[in-house]
Amino acid sequence: MDLYMMNCELLATCSALGYLEGDTYHKEPDCLESVKDLIRFLRHEDETRDVRQQLGAFQIMQNDLLPILTQHHKDKPLFDAVIRLMVNLTQPALLCFSSVPKEPSMRHHFIQVLTYLQAYKEAFASEKAFGILSETLYELLQLGWEERQEEDNLLIERILLLVRNILHVPADFDQEKRIDDDASVHDQLLWAIHLSGLDDLLLFLASSPAEQQWSLHVLEIVSLMFRDQNPEQLAGVGQGRLAQERSTDVAELEVLRQREMAEKKTRALQRGNRHSRFGGSYIVQGLKSIGERDLIFHKGLHNLRNYSSDLGKQPQRVPRRRRAAQELSIQRRSALNVRLFLRDFCSEFLENCYNRLMGLVKDHLLREKAQQHDETYYMWALAFFMAFNRAASFRPGLVSETLSVRTFHFIEQNLTNYYEMMLTDRKEASSWARRMHLALKAYQELLATVNEMDMSPEEAVKESSRIIKNNIFYMMEYRELFLALFRKFDERCQPRSFLRDLVETTHLFLKMLERFCRNRGNLMVQNKRKKRKKKKKVLDQAVASGNVPHSPEELETRWLILAEQLQCCTQDPELNVESMVPFDAASEVPVEEQRAEAMVRIQDCLLSGQAPQALALLRSAREVWPEGDVFGSQNISPEEEMQLLKQILSAPLPRQQGPEERGTEEEEEEEEEEELQVVQVSEKEFNFLDYLKRFACSTVVRAYVLLLRSYQQNSAHTNHCVVKMLHRLAHDLKMEALLFQLSVFCLFNRLLSDPAAGAYKELVTFAKYILGKFFALAAVNQKAFVELLFWKNTAVVREMTEGYGSLDDRSSSRRGPVWSPEEEAQLRELYLAHKDVEGQDVVEAILAHLNTVPRTRKQVIHHLVRLGLADSVKDFQRKGTNIVLWTEDQELELQRLFEEFQDSDDVLGHIMKNITAKRSRARIVDKLLALGLVAERRELYKKRRKKLVPSNVPKDEGSLQDFCQEDLQDEEPLPEEENEEDEEKEESLDAEQDQGGSFLSTENLGQGLHQEGFSAPLLWLHNCLIRAADDREEDGCSQAAPLVPLTEENEEAMENEQFQQLLRKLGIRPPVSGQETFWRIPAKLSPTQLRRAASALGQPEKEEKLQPEVEPRDPGEQGSSEEHRAEALRVLLLARKKKVDLAPSEVTSEEGTLGGKEKLKIATKKRHLLDSDEEQEEDEGRSKAPEMGAPIIQKKKRFLIEDEDESD
């Protein structure tokens, strides 16, 4: 940037700092204020970072700030301000621009800022500047925690940030042009840090227990110091060249010499005897030119081998999104003195700091005290220092903190997370791929260290290695990890170095697994299988719900038996009506709309021969719903009551579907209609060859061949790993045909014609073996030459080697019957008749009208394609959507639609009608919950409008049936959808259902344990749940909390089977075998669920004391109907805990009737549903009901409190 274009105010401020005369810097009186003004200028710079660029062009860091830092560091206010300004100016360019800009103009500004940062780094490479920083940091660390002020802590953090920023500046290799063993700018910076003693202060910060807060800063600085170093080479510095290294260098020189001699020989053969002007022209027979004639070649015959039709053509430009990823990390050898200093630093760091620092950083990461993506520094340090320890002098005790199954699990979790994010976040796929590469390197080094422990002479180390391997090989996730990474390898995002490390890590894992299986007779491993459960048929649903039709003769016979019992009951004055509650208070359906269910319950009692209960239910329902005399009038005679019960018995009442049936209806909207998947965990005996067969697929083979193409640049170990895996597939599995592909053969041809092929004996031997197998097969199967054009799977390989059609012969027993010509004609006719019908599934219509042997949907579809009536199987996919991810625009559209229709009766229905990207109901509900637009699913239920019930409803059978049908239509709830594809959501839904629906059984278990003398353990469990709920509310995050019994009584309770059954009912997770000791409160349980579980453990004595005398009567209302209703509701108004969670208030319109035939007066009322988390204490009258055999539906209770609103 031109200096004359600099802002005038900025130029004046820089001039007011001072001036440099020789080596002495003279500061101006307003120097401190000018530094503060520059900080304010940087705070208000624009998106192009104009102030930063102007200060860089003015070289303010080299000419002013560094001289002030070194010569005026005694002026503490000025020193603090200069450090603040330096931290701001050296901020990484990626942080300034958020990411590497793609727009040319912004990218120019980014490169300009990066150039100035590289100039700052070169200026800082002096012992004087780091000496001042080291002295200041040493003085601050000498202060105790009681003497250290907040300003001192800020200055320590700023000094560490300044060092971090300077080290973070990337090197400009094109500008420096340094070779190995030469001191680059980064090496000069490291040497200045060493001479100033700052490295010793970093070791002190990493090892001191009083300086834990700087652990992440220290780890970041250390990672930047060693970012260009190779740990294996660094460990061997100063020990002389090993024989293996010398042999490697000799082999490389021999390869270069052979290639050079071959090139000289080729050039000698190309020299013709004749003059170059008379080279002649030749006709190449069999090779056509642009027209129909043979090609005319105008050069010498020695050049014909290099002829290509692409000569002289403009190469096709590869789009940026399709280009291969570039290597970002470049390793180089630093100067010898720098490498010696770094080696000593690594040794001291491992002995004094590694275990403690890594433990602190891991704790910060798990407690989410670190910044985003700080785990990458942890994984880098793990891979680097464990490799250094393994290469220097292997001592497992120095890295014991990261040598455990927990570390394997932590790395595997992050690796899987990066893998999933790379597939979903396509814009930042390259960033996620780099993080995934770091995690893979850490995983590789963990495996290498465990493998090294196997070779240790100490038995304790070998036993530790065996335990770790037993855990790793047992879990399915560790075995499936490499298959997933190979199948989703994308060279556009992941560089070739990632593929190299993946191949080497897979080679090491397979070698360890094979040796582990060989040393043991049999190996049992974990196996997860998705079990497919088919839906229940309609007949089974009808039987389960009790909707079995009865003949009139059976009903008449049953009524004769019931009539005698009812005659006695109608005259019995002691018949307890209050013990029978005709409605479900825990149901989401309002009480006024449960009349049809009450009618069905009365009919069920009559059908089961429970006449007293049926009569009691009828009288209770009459008191709760007196409107319309549906259950009889208030002054009904016993004879009329008998006749009404007979009508109810014989009436074909429509029954409400159960939750399973409602769930099956909603599942039809999902893509997978016919089957549900449930993951089952089991154990099986491990077979190494069966596991190896998982790698026998084209995607894995293509990845290995891609790495093999660069065999000249690969190391000998990398080439060995590639050939070993291909040899396993070809020789051990007898699948040589997997490599029968034209591109592979072209690679083999290049390898065999390489002048230095003698250096790749293993590759040459394998290539000849594959080619020999191919030509032997081609002598039998002439189609093998055509198969060279395609990558093959195992089925095609079997057909190539065993004969075409052999696979069909093997599976003929599993295939359906053969189609006859008559069946094909009928199939063709049905397809042509139904293919143009809109709104109809063609295949379903064909199956309904196909009068042949029973066929499946899949068989019909495949035969339609075979007959040529359809192009592809995809034409018959069921209507649905495969959309899983939501874009930002779709989320905004969903939010807009929700705000538009949130006051309507059917919010979800309107959203599904108007949304652009059609999705299932379950997807939309899950997204609304994720966005926080609704708190729970019940807010999306369809709002029901109350219908006025006429006062003169006829009592005949037809009117009764119509009334029940209408009531059921109004009260049909919208069931909760289940997301079958997400196992975690299924588990959370099951946990919620268990919490809400099984408190009765929990209370019974708790009472049984109270009687057995487990009151103290129950109280301890209650306190643990409450404490966990309070902690999760305070922290805002949840982690699995162990239940640690500290007393002998609690330990005995934890071993009791009934107590463990209670823990499972509460949702507490048992310990994982071999890895955990204590039961744990899962992280998925919310504080509300924990308090509900704790309240379910409440003792009966406390519940009796907490019963408030709440009268549900409304003093503003009068009338006999409301008094009867209040009498029926009195049973439910019993308090069961100290604190009652207030649910969202629902405002409904209450219709009250004053008298039998008076006008209906509608009063608006508020209704607050207070969820009670404990079971209600049963009163004496209610306890008599089970003795009579009455079916009582008792779920989570609610209090109903009604208040009148003020009239408008």
Side-chain angles (χ1 to χ4, degrees):
M1 180 177 292
D2 191 358
L3 183 61
Y4 297 102
M5 299 293 293
M6 192 172 183
N7 184 276
C8 298
E9 296 180 359
L10 197 60
L11 182 60
T13 306
C14 294
S15 302
L17 290 173
Y19 60 94
L20 186 65
E21 185 177 2
D23 294 335
T24 305
Y25 189 86
H26 302 276
K27 65 174 184 177
E28 297 288 346
D30 297 333
C31 182
L32 177 60
E33 297 299 326
S34 300
V35 172
K36 293 181 179 180
D37 288 339
L38 291 177
I39 296 174
R40 280 190 287 268
F41 278 123
L42 286 171
R43 193 180 302 158
H44 299 290
E45 62 182 351
D46 60 7
E47 59 181 7
T48 62
R49 309 301 174 191
D50 56 339
V51 177
R52 198 174 301 267
Q53 292 188 55
Q54 294 180 46
L55 293 178
F58 194 66
Q59 296 185 353
I60 188 175
M61 180 74 71
Q62 298 90 322
N63 299 331
D64 295 282
L65 297 183
L66 279 174
I68 292 175
L69 180 71
T70 55
Q71 300 181 22
H72 299 280
H73 59 276
K74 299 296 183 182
D75 189 351
K76 192 175 185 307
L78 180 60
F79 182 81
D80 293 349
V82 169
I83 292 293
R84 283 180 59 194
L85 181 58
M86 283 183 169
V87 171
N88 200 335
L89 281 176
T90 57
Q91 188 176 2
L94 281 174
L95 290 181
C96 296
F97 292 87
S98 300
S99 62
V100 180
K102 296 182 179 179
E103 187 182 355
S105 60
M106 293 300 295
R107 192 177 183 86
H108 169 73
H109 295 303
F110 175 83
I111 296 175
Q112 197 70 29
V113 171
L114 190 59
T115 304
Y116 295 138
L117 287 175
Q118 291 168 351
Y120 297 160
K121 183 176 183 178
E122 188 175 358
F124 256 96
S126 64
E127 180 188 355
K128 188 179 296 185
F130 277 103
I132 298 299
L133 294 177
S134 179
E135 290 177 6
T136 307
L137 186 60
Y138 176 77
E139 293 174 359
L140 293 173
L141 293 177
Q142 289 295 318
L143 300 175
W145 65 269
E146 67 279 356
E147 301 175 0
R148 196 179 298 176
Q149 303 296 326
E150 184 65 26
E151 294 79 6
D152 299 331
N153 287 327
L154 285 176
L155 186 56
I156 293 175
E157 184 175 10
R158 285 169 183 157
I159 291 176
L160 294 177
L161 286 176
L162 178 61
V163 176
R164 189 277 312 266
N165 291 346
I166 295 299
L167 289 171
H168 188 276
V169 177
D172 188 359
F173 295 103
D174 296 335
Q175 185 68 24
E176 294 184 23
K177 297 179 180 179
R178 306 280 183 165
I179 60 174
D180 286 346
D181 297 324
D182 193 6
S184 63
V185 175
H186 193 75
D187 294 341
Q188 297 173 16
L189 203 66
L190 294 177
W191 190 247
I193 290 175
H194 175 58
L195 293 179
S196 65
L198 187 60
D199 54 336
D200 297 329
L201 293 178
L202 292 176
L203 292 173
F204 170 76
L205 288 173
S207 60
S208 174
E211 308 295 342
Q212 297 182 4
Q213 54 185 329
W214 316 117
S215 56
L216 279 169
H217 292 286
V218 173
L219 187 62
E220 191 174 358
I221 291 174
V222 171
S223 67
L224 293 172
M225 288 172 60
F226 291 89
R227 66 180 177 187
D228 295 336
Q229 304 298 324
N230 188 327
E232 286 84 0
Q233 294 180 359
L234 203 61
V237 173
Q239 299 177 0
R241 293 175 56 80
L242 301 177
Q244 183 180 2
E245 295 180 359
R246 289 196 295 270
S247 62
T248 303
D249 292 344
V250 170
E252 291 179 357
L253 289 174
E254 181 63 24
V255 169
L256 295 175
R257 190 182 69 83
Q258 291 178 2
R259 286 180 182 160
E260 185 178 1
M261 291 177 60
E263 290 177 0
K264 289 182 179 179
K265 186 176 180 181
T266 303
R267 286 197 299 267
L269 292 175
Q270 287 180 356
R271 298 193 187 99
N273 297 327
R274 300 180 59 186
H275 197 274
S276 59
R277 297 180 186 174
F278 307 102
S281 299
Y282 304 91
I283 296 177
V284 183
Q285 294 183 356
L287 184 60
K288 300 295 182 182
S289 61
I290 297 177
E292 295 295 330
R293 298 180 180 180
D294 292 335
L295 177 69
I296 299 177
F297 190 68
H298 295 283
K299 294 184 179 181
L301 289 177
H302 57 274
N303 293 320
L304 182 60
R305 179 179 297 180
N306 299 327
Y307 173 77
S308 172
S309 300
D310 296 330
L311 291 175
K313 294 182 180 179
Q314 184 71 21
Q316 186 178 3
R317 180 180 175 272
V318 181
R320 185 185 300 273
R321 64 179 180 274
R322 295 183 183 177
R323 295 176 186 171
Q326 297 180 354
E327 300 287 346
L328 296 179
S329 59
I330 300 176
Q331 292 184 350
R332 60 178 301 275
R333 281 201 311 267
S334 301
L336 180 60
N337 57 347
V338 175
R339 281 185 287 157
L340 289 172
F341 145 63
L342 292 178
R343 185 202 61 187
D344 296 340
F345 183 90
C346 282
S347 300
E348 294 183 17
F349 186 84
L350 277 172
E351 291 181 2
N352 304 318
C353 312
Y354 179 82
N355 286 331
R356 183 188 166 278
L357 183 65
M358 296 297 280
L360 284 175
V361 173
K362 179 75 172 295
D363 184 67
H364 287 330
L365 294 174
L366 293 179
R367 297 178 180 272
E368 298 182 355
K369 294 182 179 180
Q371 295 181 358
Q372 192 176 16
H373 307 312
D374 273 352
E375 71 275 1
T376 55
Y377 297 108
Y378 175 84
M379 290 184 288
W380 176 90
L382 186 149
F384 187 89
F385 288 105
M386 290 184 77
F388 181 87
N389 177 55
R390 183 171 49 85
S393 57
F394 182 64
R395 295 162 60 186
L398 298 181
V399 292
S400 59
E401 175 64 32
T402 54
L403 199 58
S404 62
V405 179
R406 292 182 180 179
T407 308
F408 272 96
H409 177 65
F410 178 77
I411 300 298
E412 187 269 337
Q413 270 190 330
N414 283 279
L415 188 57
T416 307
N417 179 40
Y418 298 152
Y419 160 77
E420 294 174 351
M421 291 303 299
M422 188 191 72
L423 298 180
T424 54
D425 189 5
R426 301 304 299 177
K427 292 184 179 179
E428 298 295 332
S430 57
S431 300
W432 292 111
R434 288 195 295 270
R435 298 184 187 107
M436 187 164 60
H437 193 184
L438 278 175
L440 180 64
K441 289 287 291 184
Y443 194 81
Q444 178 186 12
E445 192 50 48
L446 282 173
L447 289 175
T449 304
V450 172
N451 186 47
E452 192 75 20
M453 291 171 64
D454 278 343
M455 305 173 188
S456 175
E458 301 179 12
E459 291 298 328
V461 176
K462 287 185 177 180
E463 181 64 18
S464 300
S465 170
R466 189 191 63 79
I467 294 174
I468 293 176
K469 289 192 298 182
N470 201 7
N471 283 274
I472 295 170
F473 297 148
Y474 176 79
M475 298 299 294
M476 185 177 180
E477 289 78 6
Y478 299 110
R479 302 193 307 271
E480 298 294 322
L481 179 63
F482 301 103
L483 286 166
L485 294 179
F486 271 119
R487 287 171 180 168
K488 294 298 181 182
F489 173 74
D490 188 358
E491 59 178 336
R492 299 172 299 176
C493 307
Q494 298 162 307
R496 196 66 58 89
S497 58
F498 174 85
L499 182 59
R500 182 186 65 245
D501 291 331
L502 179 58
V503 167
E504 294 178 358
T505 309
T506 306
H507 171 77
L508 178 60
F509 184 82
L510 289 176
K511 185 174 68 173
M512 294 172 61
L513 182 57
E514 186 179 18
R515 187 168 60 241
F516 191 75
C517 295
R518 191 185 304 120
N519 296 336
R520 297 168 60 106
N522 57 347
L523 175 63
M524 300 301 295
V525 296
Q526 186 188 68
N527 182 39
K528 292 183 180 180
R529 185 169 58 91
K530 289 185 178 180
K531 182 180 178 182
R532 299 181 178 272
K533 296 169 57 179
K534 294 189 176 180
K535 288 194 209 176
K536 297 181 180 180
K537 296 182 180 179
V538 179
L539 180 61
D540 298 336
Q541 295 174 357
V543 173
S545 60
N547 192 10
V548 180
H550 298 274
S551 63
E553 292 78 10
E554 294 178 358
L555 295 175
E556 189 65 29
T557 305
R558 188 164 297 185
W559 174 251
L560 294 177
I561 301 173
L562 292 171
E564 298 177 0
Q565 301 180 18
L566 290 173
Q567 287 288 347
C568 302
C569 294
T570 52
Q571 306 298 331
D572 186 8
E574 297 181 358
L575 184 64
N576 195 350
V577 178
E578 294 183 357
S579 63
M580 303 298 296
V581 181
F583 58 88
D584 184 7
S587 175
E588 297 173 355
V589 182
V591 176
E592 288 75 14
E593 300 179 8
Q594 295 189 29
R595 288 170 292 187
E597 293 183 6
M599 196 75 69
V600 172
R601 288 182 59 192
I602 296 172
Q603 189 183 58
D604 291 339
C605 290
L606 292 173
L607 290 174
S608 60
Q610 300 173 354
Q613 286 83 353
L615 183 59
L617 272 175
L618 179 66
R619 293 179 178 177
S620 298
R622 186 185 307 139
E623 294 180 358
V624 176
W625 296 292
E627 303 90 352
D629 296 339
V630 177
F631 298 96
S633 60
Q634 296 294 332
N635 52 359
I636 188 173
S637 62
E639 292 76 12
E640 294 175 345
E641 206 168 34
M642 292 274 292
Q643 188 65 25
L644 181 59
L645 286 173
K646 184 177 181 181
Q647 292 180 7
I648 294 176
L649 176 64
S650 58
L653 300 178
R655 295 176 177 269
Q656 186 179 4
Q657 294 178 335
E660 294 182 0
E661 301 173 34
R662 292 197 299 267
T664 55
E665 286 186 0
E666 287 297 327
E667 288 159 8
E668 290 179 358
E669 299 179 2
E670 299 291 336
E671 178 187 3
E672 298 291 337
E673 287 186 344
E674 299 169 354
E675 296 176 343
L676 304 176
Q677 290 185 354
V678 178
V679 177
Q680 288 187 342
V681 180
S682 60
E683 287 187 345
K684 70 172 184 179
E685 187 173 352
F686 182 76
N687 189 333
F688 182 76
L689 287 181
D690 290 342
Y691 175 67
L692 197 59
K693 289 177 183 177
R694 305 286 305 279
F695 291 88
C697 59
S698 60
T699 53
V700 177
V701 175
R702 290 170 71 176
Y704 273 90
V705 172
L706 178 64
L707 184 61
L708 189 59
R709 288 176 185 170
S710 56
Y711 70 92
Q712 297 177 350
Q713 289 79 32
N714 295 341
S715 64
H717 177 65
T718 302
N719 287 333
H720 168 71
C721 295
V722 174
V723 174
K724 182 62 177 177
M725 173 56 84
L726 297 180
H727 181 265
R728 289 180 189 271
L729 299 179
H731 181 267
D732 298 350
L733 299 182
K734 308 299 181 184
M735 292 186 181
E736 303 90 353
L738 278 174
L739 298 173
F740 293 169
Q741 216 276 337
L742 199 56
S743 61
V744 180
F745 283 10
C746 290
L747 176 60
F748 287 164
N749 182 42
R750 182 161 64 93
L751 173 65
L752 296 174
S753 60
D754 192 344
Y760 309 106
K761 294 181 180 180
E762 194 176 19
L763 294 179
V764 171
T765 305
F766 179 73
K768 291 180 179 179
Y769 169 76
I770 295 296
L771 290 174
K773 290 291 184 179
F774 172 75
F775 290 119
L777 179 63
V780 181
N781 183 7
Q782 295 296 328
K783 297 180 181 179
F785 295 98
V786 182
E787 295 284 3
L788 285 175
L789 301 174
F790 311 100
W791 291 101
K792 289 161 281 294
N793 54 21
T794 54
V796 178
V797 167
R798 189 177 296 114
E799 284 196 335
M800 282 183 62
T801 54
E802 300 179 8
Y804 294 99
S806 59
L807 192 63
D808 296 337
D809 296 339
R810 291 185 180 184
S811 60
S812 59
S813 59
R814 294 177 292 176
R815 292 191 302 176
V818 182
W819 291 77
S820 63
E822 294 79 9
E823 292 174 342
E824 290 184 352
Q826 185 184 6
L827 177 64
R828 189 186 303 272
E829 181 182 353
L830 289 173
Y831 176 74
L832 296 176
H834 294 90
K835 70 174 184 177
D836 296 329
V837 180
E838 295 184 0
Q840 175 180 289
D841 191 349
V842 182
V843 182
E844 293 294 339
I846 292 175
L847 289 172
H849 296 85
L850 198 61
N851 299 325
T852 60
V853 182
R855 306 278 184 182
T856 63
R857 177 184 180 91
K858 187 175 181 181
Q859 291 172 355
V860 172
I861 292 175
H862 280 285
H863 204 69
L864 287 172
V865 175
R866 191 175 292 113
L867 292 176
L869 298 175
D871 297 331
S872 172
V873 179
K874 297 180 180 179
D875 298 341
F876 299 99
Q877 286 183 347
R878 298 180 186 268
K879 292 184 178 179
T881 177
N882 290 325
I883 301 176
V884 178
L885 302 177
W886 290 74
T887 63
E888 185 176 357
D889 297 337
Q890 291 171 352
E891 291 180 356
L892 294 176
E893 181 189 11
L894 180 62
Q895 186 174 1
R896 178 182 59 79
L897 290 174
F898 176 78
E899 294 173 354
E900 182 179 351
F901 298 111
Q902 63 180 348
D903 297 330
S904 62
D905 293 340
D906 189 5
V907 182
L908 200 55
H910 287 90
I911 291 176
M912 293 186 66
K913 290 178 183 177
N914 294 276
I915 197 167
T916 304
K918 299 300 180 183
R919 299 174 188 267
S920 64
R921 189 183 298 266
R923 300 279 185 208
I924 296 178
V925 171
D926 291 339
K927 195 61 183 178
L928 289 173
L929 290 171
L931 293 176
L933 298 176
V934 292
E936 49 189 5
R937 296 173 183 266
R938 70 179 64 180
E939 298 181 22
L940 299 174
Y941 289 173
K942 198 177 199 177
K943 298 185 178 67
R944 304 161 192 84
R945 298 183 179 274
K946 287 201 59 178
K947 298 184 178 180
L948 296 176
V949 181
S951 59
N952 50 354
V953 178
K955 298 181 181 179
D956 57 351
E957 183 178 339
S959 62
L960 184 62
Q961 178 183 353
D962 296 341
F963 162 74
C964 294
Q965 288 178 350
E966 177 185 352
D967 215 7
L968 274 175
Q969 290 174 1
D970 290 343
E971 69 178 0
E972 183 178 0
L974 179 69
E976 294 185 4
E977 291 89 346
E978 297 178 359
N979 190 351
E980 302 169 6
E981 299 173 2
D982 195 345
E983 298 172 7
E984 296 180 359
K985 294 184 180 178
E986 286 182 354
E987 293 174 0
S988 63
L989 286 176
D990 295 341
E992 291 180 3
Q993 292 174 1
D994 294 341
Q995 290 286 339
S998 63
F999 280 148
L1000 179 59
S1001 59
T1002 303
E1003 184 182 3
N1004 293 336
L1005 285 173
Q1007 292 177 358
L1009 291 170
H1010 274 297
Q1011 295 174 2
E1012 294 182 8
F1014 287 100
S1015 301
L1018 287 174
L1019 180 60
W1020 165 73
L1021 179 60
H1022 177 275
N1023 295 335
C1024 289
L1025 294 174
I1026 295 298
R1027 194 181 307 117
D1030 295 339
D1031 294 342
R1032 295 183 181 185
E1033 283 185 347
E1034 292 178 3
D1035 299 341
C1037 60
S1038 58
Q1039 296 180 1
L1043 291 175
V1044 183
L1046 300 178
T1047 63
E1048 185 176 355
E1049 187 177 6
N1050 293 344
E1051 290 182 1
E1052 293 178 357
M1054 296 297 288
E1055 297 175 357
N1056 184 275
E1057 293 184 0
Q1058 190 175 0
F1059 196 85
Q1060 292 179 356
Q1061 185 180 1
L1062 174 64
L1063 294 177
R1064 290 189 177 92
K1065 287 285 185 182
L1066 295 176
I1068 300 176
R1069 177 171 60 81
V1072 179
S1073 60
Q1075 298 184 15
E1076 297 177 350
T1077 306
F1078 304 107
W1079 290 65
R1080 295 179 182 271
I1081 303 175
K1084 64 186 178 182
L1085 294 181
S1086 63
T1088 304
Q1089 292 174 341
L1090 290 175
R1091 288 197 172 88
R1092 288 179 182 174
S1095 63
L1097 299 174
Q1099 300 183 10
E1101 294 81 1
K1102 295 183 179 181
E1103 294 180 1
E1104 294 177 359
K1105 297 178 182 179
L1106 296 175
Q1107 294 180 357
E1109 299 179 357
V1110 181
E1111 290 294 329
R1113 301 178 183 271
D1114 192 347
E1117 279 192 58
Q1118 296 178 356
S1120 59
S1121 61
E1122 295 299 323
E1123 293 176 359
H1124 286 296
R1125 178 183 299 178
E1127 197 70 19
L1129 291 175
R1130 182 178 303 171
V1131 185
L1132 301 177
L1133 301 181
L1134 300 176
R1136 297 182 303 269
K1137 71 174 198 175
K1138 295 180 180 180
K1139 296 182 180 180
V1140 181
D1141 298 327
L1142 183 60
S1145 60
E1146 302 175 1
V1147 180
T1148 60
S1149 59
E1150 180 68 25
E1151 301 171 357
T1153 57
L1154 301 176
K1157 296 183 180 181
E1158 295 181 359
K1159 290 186 177 181
L1160 296 173
K1161 296 183 179 180
I1162 301 175
T1164 306
K1165 296 183 178 180
K1166 286 183 181 176
R1167 182 168 298 164
H1168 300 281
L1169 292 177
L1170 302 180
D1171 293 344
S1172 178
D1173 299 323
E1174 298 184 11
E1175 292 297 329
Q1176 186 177 0
E1177 184 73 11
E1178 297 180 353
D1179 57 2
E1180 296 178 357
R1182 195 184 185 101
S1183 62
K1184 297 178 182 179
E1187 299 176 1
M1188 296 184 292
I1192 298 179
I1193 302 175
Q1194 184 172 1
K1195 295 183 180 179
K1196 189 172 67 175
K1197 303 299 185 296
R1198 296 187 177 180
F1199 294 173
L1200 188 63
I1201 302 177
E1202 298 181 354
D1203 299 325
E1204 285 194 2
D1205 284 348
E1206 296 180 0
S1207 57
D1208 296 338

